[in-house]
Amino acid sequence: MPFGLKLRRTRRYNVLSKNCFVTRIRLLDSNVIECTLSVESTGQECLEAVAQRLELRETHYFGLWFLSKSQQARWVELEKPLKKHLDKFANEPLLFFGVMFYVPNVSWLQQEATRYQYYLQVKKDVLEGRLRCTLEQVIRLAGLAVQADFGDYNQFDSQDFLREYVLFPMDLALEEAVLEELTQKVAQEHKAHRTIMETVCTSAFSSWGFS
């Protein structure tokens, strides 16, 4: 740690002084960052600190949530002091960054960084089974996800790498032969796309009936 600074660990937080604390935030790409805040800092200040690291300006679509002491997901009340809020309601001081408000049309999202965070949220929700899809939608969305994560189809000599990539919801039980067939359909879907995040988001939104 720079300057030989040592953090004093308490039961719940890393504490720099009586007036500051360090909390962790899990991002939509599963990376965890730390933010140093005043004990009087609001949830909004923490959200803005996260947004700055992500180079995200359209913060009004996003929020922070945590697991309550009863293991229920609960959004941070952004106008309140964060530490007091977590002390009172949270099981641990780990926050999760995510999309709080969805838009009816992807064209409302002005910033590429915003569209990318939407993509990560939707991908996470599909793979973890929170966003239910038909099999046709799953194949289409998997093709878009491969495009967003790996680029154009013609960059690869083969599509064998798809076998190591999580393409389908975790609760979708598939036999080996069926999985192989669906993976090939994803490869064909991938072949049809170009690396433009706005196109990826627009196509994904259309798959769920958004205009």
Side-chain angles (χ1 to χ4, degrees):
M1 188 168 292
F3 311 116
L5 180 64
K6 294 183 179 180
L7 296 176
R8 179 164 51 86
R9 184 177 292 276
T10 68
R11 183 174 64 89
R12 292 174 60 84
Y13 298 99
N14 286 330
V15 180
L16 293 171
S17 73
K18 288 191 290 187
N19 298 319
C20 296
F21 73 102
V22 179
T23 191
R24 295 175 297 138
I25 303 98
R26 186 176 298 279
L27 305 177
L28 288 169
D29 62 3
S30 296
N31 285 322
V32 176
I33 63 172
E34 292 186 342
C35 285
T36 302
L37 301 164
S38 160
V39 294
E40 299 300 325
S41 294
T42 63
Q44 182 65 40
E45 289 175 271
C46 184
L47 177 61
E48 289 173 358
V50 173
Q52 185 176 20
R53 296 200 193 186
L54 296 174
E55 299 182 346
L56 190 66
R57 296 191 303 273
E58 296 174 287
T59 57
H60 46 283
Y61 295 124
F62 300 91
L64 300 168
W65 60 275
F66 59 87
L67 288 175
S68 70
K69 293 175 182 178
S70 59
Q71 296 298 302
Q72 299 297 311
R74 176 169 177 163
W75 289 104
V76 170
E77 295 178 40
L78 296 176
E79 74 281 359
K80 292 186 176 180
L82 179 61
K83 188 174 184 302
K84 290 180 181 178
H85 196 57
L86 294 178
D87 282 345
K88 185 175 182 180
F89 297 110
N91 182 54
E92 60 173 324
L94 173 65
L95 295 170
F96 298 84
F97 172 80
V99 175
M100 193 172 188
F101 300 107
Y102 285 91
V103 295
N105 192 308
V106 71
S107 65
W108 288 21
L109 306 178
Q110 300 300 308
Q111 192 186 8
E112 182 79 5
T114 307
R115 292 191 288 269
Y116 181 63
Q117 295 301 321
Y118 262 67
Y119 157 70
L120 290 176
Q121 179 72 75
V122 169
K123 176 184 173 184
K124 186 177 181 67
D125 288 348
V126 170
L127 293 179
E128 294 180 359
R130 287 188 295 273
L131 186 58
R132 311 302 296 182
C133 302
T134 65
L135 192 56
E136 181 181 344
Q137 287 174 322
V138 166
I139 292 169
R140 179 163 174 75
L141 292 170
L144 290 165
V146 174
Q147 172 67 28
D149 289 349
F150 295 102
D152 290 345
Y153 179 92
N154 58 13
Q155 295 183 59
F156 301 92
D157 295 331
S158 77
Q159 299 298 295
D160 290 346
F161 73 94
L162 292 179
R163 295 185 177 89
E164 307 300 322
Y165 185 67
V166 180
L167 296 169
F168 308 110
M170 291 184 290
D171 60 353
L172 191 63
L174 298 171
E175 295 180 358
E176 190 67 30
V178 176
L179 181 61
E180 179 64 25
E181 179 185 352
L182 293 181
T183 299
Q184 291 306 313
K185 289 183 178 181
V186 171
Q188 290 305 307
E189 187 71 31
H190 177 208
K191 190 175 181 179
H193 300 304
R194 297 288 182 200
T195 310
I196 302 174
M197 185 56 65
E198 183 171 6
T199 301
V200 170
C201 288
T202 301
S203 299
F205 271 53
S206 297
S207 297
W208 305 304
F210 289 102
S211 58

